[in-house]
Amino acid sequence: MVELRHLKTLAALRDAGSLVEAAERVHLTQSALSHQIKDLEERLSCSLFIRKTKPICFTSSGQRLLALADDVLPMIRNAERDIARLAGGEAGRLNICIECHSCFEWLMPTIDHFRQHWPEVEMDLSSGFSFQPLPALARGDLDLVITSDPESRNGITYVPLFSYESVLAIAKQHRLVARRYIHAEDLARETLITYPVDHGKLDIFNHFLDPASIDPAEIRTAELTVMILQLVASGRGVSALPNWAIHEYLERDYIASRPLGDKGVWCTLYAAIREDQKSSEFMVDFLNTAKEVSFRNLSGIKTA
């Protein structure tokens, strides 16, 4: 009565917290997902979760199936990895470069998880802050680049990992706390704290300030997210950061945040790879692992 697709759907519903996001994760329409759940409930003659609760509250029956999903789905995934390795005998190299200072929070757990299943793949990690990583990827010096700024290049394909909201982190006593959202003009008199990278690589400039032809009063840089947030909390400036990167600091009430614009600024993080590697078994598994780890560990992200 219970099929594998049901377990995947329930796990996605729990992890996503809403029908809309869960449907995107399992590549169904919201209507199809609702129909699938209703069909399963009719088969089992019981409800699996309480409707119109946020976050979603599962019944005892639903929790039992979630426990089953947590046991079965990883076993199936591991078996698929083993079969792929046995069938392809793949050993290779995965040199990764990141263009995102805050990406270590999910990338390091992804790498650790991947190494357990592909020990024969040689891995290396570098940052693209001091050189141009996409030309290096095209040349074959790198194998994967994490970026939110895709450029059209022959032989390079971009795989979306997840979408996130770039928000303005501000001190709790800052004047902008009174706003529901931030206007670009509000930053004309502010010190903007950024990572030490070219402005063309920063969401705040690409999607918010440059379209409005606004420059901040001053720009200050810091290399680490924790350093930026300490400066923000002490009133030394404001900073635009991914929503998931500041979630912990908001939870602890260290800082406040506001959306950039009335609709917010949403961006997508991509994995850039060479087209000749996109079907490689270990590359496919790394990308799937990155998505799984991200959605399990990061708050506020969406399916791209």
Side-chain angles (χ1 to χ4, degrees):
M1 289 169 36
V2 179
E3 301 175 18
L4 187 60
R5 63 191 177 103
H6 297 141
L7 299 181
K8 291 180 177 179
T9 294
L10 290 175
L13 188 59
R14 175 195 59 192
D15 296 341
S18 72
L19 285 170
V20 175
E21 179 67 15
E24 291 183 353
R25 293 192 189 187
V26 295
H27 309 293
L28 293 174
T29 64
Q30 185 178 348
S31 174
L33 183 139
S34 298
H35 180 76
Q36 184 186 115
I37 294 174
K38 183 179 179 181
D39 175 64
L40 178 59
E41 289 178 326
E42 289 177 352
R43 295 189 194 191
L44 299 174
S45 301
C46 65
S47 296
L48 298 176
F49 66 93
I50 302 172
R51 267 61 176 178
K52 297 182 180 180
T53 56
K54 192 173 182 179
I56 292 174
C57 181
F58 287 86
T59 64
S60 297
S61 298
Q63 292 174 2
R64 180 62 185 89
L65 287 183
L66 286 173
L68 177 64
D70 290 338
D71 287 338
V72 171
L73 295 180
M75 293 174 63
I76 291 176
R77 180 71 186 277
N78 291 340
E80 289 174 342
R81 287 191 181 103
D82 290 341
I83 291 170
R85 291 171 58 200
L86 292 170
E90 283 200 72
R93 184 197 73 173
L94 189 53
N95 284 355
I96 303 171
C97 180
I98 59 172
E99 289 190 324
C100 170
H101 278 74
S102 51
C103 285
F104 287 101
E105 184 171 339
W106 60 267
L107 184 57
M108 298 313 295
T110 295
I111 291 175
D112 290 342
H113 195 275
F114 179 81
R115 279 183 173 139
Q116 296 175 20
H117 299 281
W118 296 90
E120 63 273 37
V121 175
E122 177 187 349
M123 300 193 70
D124 197 5
L125 178 64
S126 62
S127 68
F129 309 136
S130 58
F131 68 98
Q132 296 295 318
L134 291 177
L137 175 65
R139 291 194 305 268
D141 298 334
L142 296 172
D143 304 300
L144 186 149
V145 175
I146 304 296
T147 181
S148 60
D149 186 31
E151 301 174 8
S152 179
R153 287 180 175 270
N154 291 334
I156 302 298
T157 188
Y158 293 89
V159 179
L161 299 175
F162 56 83
S163 293
Y164 62 92
E165 185 180 10
S166 183
V167 298
L168 192 73
I170 53 180
K172 292 194 297 179
Q173 68 277 14
H174 197 284
R175 65 182 180 88
L176 294 176
V177 168
R179 300 288 183 85
R180 286 198 308 113
Y181 58 87
I182 305 300
H183 298 273
E185 295 79 8
D186 293 329
L187 301 185
R189 50 185 285 200
E190 297 293 334
T191 296
L192 182 64
I193 307 171
T194 73
Y195 297 114
V197 299
D198 184 86
H199 293 174
K201 299 292 185 181
L202 295 172
D203 299 333
I204 182 69
F205 286 98
N206 287 337
H207 304 294
F208 193 63
L209 292 177
D210 289 349
S213 300
I214 297 293
D215 291 318
E218 185 179 347
I219 296 177
R220 178 173 181 174
T221 63
E223 292 190 356
L224 301 177
T225 304
V226 64
M227 294 172 59
I228 291 178
L229 292 174
Q230 285 177 350
L231 291 170
V232 167
S234 61
R236 302 297 181 87
V238 300
S239 183
L241 293 165
N243 55 350
W244 53 267
I246 67 172
H247 176 74
E248 178 183 352
Y249 300 89
L250 293 172
E251 289 272 294
R252 296 182 180 182
D253 200 31
Y254 290 163
I255 59 168
S257 72
R258 293 293 181 270
L260 295 171
D262 59 339
K263 296 181 180 179
V265 171
W266 283 85
C267 308
T268 299
L269 203 63
Y270 297 89
I273 59 176
R274 290 189 301 280
E275 290 183 353
D276 61 0
Q277 280 202 307
K278 65 182 181 181
S279 298
S280 168
E281 292 288 352
F282 70 81
M283 182 66 78
V284 170
D285 189 59
F286 181 85
L287 296 175
N288 287 335
T289 300
K291 294 177 185 179
E292 290 176 6
V293 170
S294 298
F295 281 104
R296 188 164 60 242
N297 295 332
L298 304 182
S299 298
I301 63 173
K302 295 182 179 180
T303 302

